[in-house]
Amino acid sequence: MIEPEWMWLFLPGQIVDYMDILMDIKDIGFNPFKFFDCNKRHTLPDLVLNLGGIEVSISPWAYSARDKDGVEGWASCISLLLDCNDDGIFLGAGFLRGVRMVVDLEKDTIG
């Protein structure tokens, strides 16, 4: 499911847990957000999902967002990856940042 009003990307828990380790997620008390050092974004892998036989690549800049205030003196980012608690996939605005639409008026197509 694609939902443009939510920024989160809900993925199977194994993927989210693995990415949390790679991002070195910082637990900030009772805060529901998952913070990590923005300086690590360039070292993180793209997520590649197979959606109905089409491979879709999601960059670290699409599955995270910069926290404008920062945390504890370092430039912090927020992971947009959340556990969907099953094998489903729910793709929010973080995913849509990398999607481009092409309108071909001559062929009367959108793709």
Side-chain angles (χ1 to χ4, degrees):
M1 174 185 226
I2 296 176
E3 173 53 61
E5 294 183 18
W6 272 74
M7 65 179 174
W8 311 107
L9 289 82
F10 290 85
L11 301 171
Q14 288 178 305
I15 295 171
V16 174
D17 291 344
Y18 177 73
M19 294 305 297
D20 285 355
I21 291 168
L22 287 180
M23 289 186 265
D24 191 22
I25 293 295
K26 306 289 186 210
D27 183 16
I28 311 292
F30 294 105
N31 195 317
F33 298 112
K34 300 185 305 182
F35 293 95
F36 69 98
D37 185 346
C38 277
N39 295 318
K40 292 185 177 191
R41 275 206 280 196
H42 74 280
T43 68
L44 297 172
D46 288 352
L47 288 177
V48 180
L49 304 176
N50 186 319
L51 304 176
I54 298 171
E55 282 195 353
V56 177
S57 183
I58 305 171
S59 81
W61 282 262
Y63 62 74
S64 66
R66 188 170 182 97
D67 177 30
K68 67 176 182 157
D69 297 325
V71 174
E72 298 178 4
W74 44 275
S76 62
C77 280
I78 300 169
S79 170
L80 301 180
L81 304 176
L82 295 176
D83 185 346
C84 68
N85 296 319
D86 61 24
D87 290 332
I89 295 177
F90 183 94
L91 302 173
F95 165 74
L96 293 173
R97 286 185 204 157
V99 174
R100 304 290 182 261
M101 180 172 54
V102 177
V103 177
D104 187 331
L105 297 176
E106 290 178 12
K107 295 181 182 176
D108 199 27
T109 61
I110 298 175

